């Protein structure tokens, strides 16, 4: 059996730099083999320590499970610590990621399209060539089921109502205000409402 | 530049299919040579993962754009990493002939 395939992690933007170099009189004498920080590890660090989101919120943004996110984050810290202590360079590249693309809407033919070539600016509609295009918010699109926003919510498995998650209280100790049943964290794989 | 269109038939009079992964035919239109190629979709009756399998099929034809009525939720990560552009046309009555005419703007 081949191993289970990794889910592709979503990275919002590529980092502005390719890596880091140490400086100081000792740097020339050290082993210069760089530490390879993956894009997904960079993104994990950015979400949890720069944007100050918790692991659950970050995992939704990266479209991986919360435990997977924590593993990616732990590996990022380990690599950075290694680079700091051993005076190595950090190279940021690789990893199983995709860079998110933005959506646009064309007024001429009323189609929606995205732009996977991030470096090129979109000037006209790829379908009809109309130049009346504007950015488009995909959360309004019904066909792409994605968690909208990163509000830390608990969801009721019975009736589907949500309430804000209280930090420090496990989700299954939250009780639904509507029907009184136990709740689960919204966005986790087990928390899909059963539909008949 | 090649463009794939998810269609529900193998003529120019066919219309856009409601689904990308389980559409009946993929129509590959070559913008330079104006050639049209019809590929029956082998993933039409798949229980699951029809979308990723169709992406693989279409990507092997080295298209740069895909036009469909709708894309499933597994498809965007794949197409973004392959740098294929998605065009969502919410007009299921559009004939393939009309779409090709629009592409030749």
């Amino acid at each position: 059996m081949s191993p289970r395939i990794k889910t592709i992690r979503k990275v919002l933007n590529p980092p502005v730099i390719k890596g880091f170099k140490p400086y100081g009189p000792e740097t020339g004498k050290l082993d210069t083999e760089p530490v390879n920080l993956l894009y997904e590890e960079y993104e994990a660090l950015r979400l949890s320590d720069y944007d100050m989101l918790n692991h659950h919120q970050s995992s939704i943004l990266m479209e991986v499970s919360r435990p997977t996110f924590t593993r990616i984050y732990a590996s990022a810290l380990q690599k950075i610590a290694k680079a700091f202590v051993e005076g190595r360079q950090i190279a940021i590249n690789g990893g199983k990621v995709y860079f998110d693309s933005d959506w646009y809407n064309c007024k001429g033919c009323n189609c929606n399209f995205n732009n996977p070539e991030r470096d090129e600016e979109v000037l006209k509609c790829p379908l009809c060539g109309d130049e009346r295009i504007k950015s488009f918010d995909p959360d309004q699109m019904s066909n792409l089921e994605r968690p909208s926003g990163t509000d830390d919510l608990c969801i009721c498995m019975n009736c589907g109502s949500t309430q804000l998650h209280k930090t420090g209280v496990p989700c299954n100790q939250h009780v639904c205000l509507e029907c009184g049943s136990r709740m689960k964290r919204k966005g986790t794989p087990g928390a899909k409402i059963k539909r008949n | 530049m090649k463009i794939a269109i998810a269609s529900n038939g193998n003529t120019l009079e066919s219309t856009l299919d409601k689904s990308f992964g389980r559409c009946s035919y993929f129509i590959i239109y070559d913008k330079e040579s104006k050639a049209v190629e019809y590929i029956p979709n082998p993933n039409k009756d798949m229980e699951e993962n029809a979308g990723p399998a169709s992406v693989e099929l279409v990507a092997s034809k080295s298209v740069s754009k895909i036009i469909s009525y709708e894309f499933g939720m597994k498809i965007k990560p794949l197409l973004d990493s392959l740098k294929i552009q998605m065009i969502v046309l919410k007009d299921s009555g559009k004939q393939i002939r009309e779409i090709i005419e629009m592409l030749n703007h």
Side-chain angles (χ1 to χ4, degrees):
Chain A
M1 286 276 278
S2 57
R4 195 183 173 101
I5 301 162
K6 273 187 186 172
T7 356
I8 313 180
R9 294 94 162 85
K10 178 167 131 183
V11 177
L12 219 57
N13 282 307
V16 287
I17 36 97
K18 298 257 178 269
F20 289 95
K21 263 185 180 172
Y23 74 98
E26 296 297 314
T27 47
K29 300 169 202 158
L30 297 168
D31 185 2
T32 49
E33 180 77 20
V35 171
N36 184 11
L37 193 73
L38 303 176
Y39 280 132
E40 63 219 50
E41 291 163 343
Y42 156 82
E43 180 76 352
L45 202 72
R46 185 182 72 81
L47 289 171
S48 36
D49 294 333
Y50 185 78
D51 288 345
M52 302 298 278
L53 300 174
N54 66 30
H55 284 196
H56 177 255
Q57 294 167 316
S58 314
S59 70
I60 294 175
L61 284 176
M62 278 181 77
E63 293 178 356
V64 293
S65 76
R66 206 279 308 147
T68 302
F69 178 84
T70 305
R71 280 193 295 275
I72 296 171
Y73 179 73
S75 147
L77 286 194
Q78 212 171 29
K79 283 183 182 175
I80 290 167
K82 185 179 179 181
F84 280 8
V85 173
E86 297 177 10
R88 289 171 191 266
Q89 296 179 21
I90 301 175
I92 307 176
N93 59 39
K96 190 160 184 187
V97 296
Y98 77 97
F99 297 111
D100 197 24
S101 59
D102 298 328
W103 284 99
Y104 296 89
N105 178 265
C106 167
K107 258 192 161 173
C109 58
N110 198 26
C111 71
N112 301 317
F113 58 94
N114 71 346
N115 177 30
E117 295 286 347
R118 309 174 59 88
D119 305 331
E120 287 168 35
E121 206 184 337
V122 194
L123 295 171
K124 56 180 188 175
C125 173
L127 189 58
C128 62
D130 203 305
E131 287 175 8
R132 291 173 296 162
I133 52 165
K134 61 175 197 304
S135 290
F136 180 71
D137 184 8
D139 285 340
Q140 297 165 355
M141 265 163 84
S142 53
N143 62 335
L144 285 175
E145 262 186 49
R146 49 171 70 225
S148 57
T150 51
D151 283 346
D152 218 355
L153 295 172
C154 294
I155 187 164
C156 173
M157 305 310 294
N158 204 16
C159 64
S161 71
T162 53
Q163 66 183 67
L164 211 63
H165 176 76
K166 223 176 276 167
T167 316
V169 183
C171 296
N172 63 5
Q173 285 178 17
H174 286 67
V175 174
C176 176
L177 298 171
E178 306 274 327
C179 61
S181 47
R182 302 270 178 202
M183 306 189 88
K184 273 192 175 173
R185 197 65 154 263
K186 193 181 179 185
T188 50
K192 288 234 172 80
I193 310 159
K194 286 170 198 127
R195 290 197 184 98
N196 302 323
Chain B
M1 182 168 52
K2 283 182 174 176
I3 296 139
I5 306 167
S7 152
N8 62 7
N10 59 353
T11 60
L12 287 175
E13 278 71 43
S14 321
T15 53
L16 269 183
D17 202 291
K18 287 268 181 182
S19 145
F20 166 71
R22 294 185 177 80
C23 69
S24 309
Y25 283 88
F26 288 113
I27 294 179
I28 315 268
Y29 174 66
D30 192 323
K31 216 170 168 180
E32 273 78 48
S33 66
K34 311 249 183 267
V36 183
E37 188 185 348
Y38 303 96
I39 305 168
N41 187 359
N43 316 311
K44 201 183 166 195
D45 302 314
M46 257 163 111
E47 295 259 313
E48 57 177 15
N49 285 331
S54 299
V55 167
E56 208 169 292
L57 172 75
V58 173
S60 69
K61 301 279 170 190
S62 59
V63 300
S64 57
K65 287 172 190 175
I66 299 176
I67 302 172
S68 175
Y69 180 79
E70 190 166 325
F71 290 96
M73 58 186 292
K74 289 178 189 165
I75 293 175
K76 187 159 188 267
L78 290 172
L79 291 183
D80 270 350
S81 54
L82 291 165
K83 293 210 184 295
I84 296 175
Q85 188 174 41
M86 297 156 74
I87 301 172
V88 184
L89 191 58
K90 285 282 177 201
D91 185 356
S92 55
K94 261 246 185 326
Q95 289 186 356
I96 304 304
R97 187 193 299 281
E98 295 176 275
I99 295 171
I100 289 177
E101 274 166 21
M102 279 164 89
L103 285 167
N104 289 329
H105 54 259

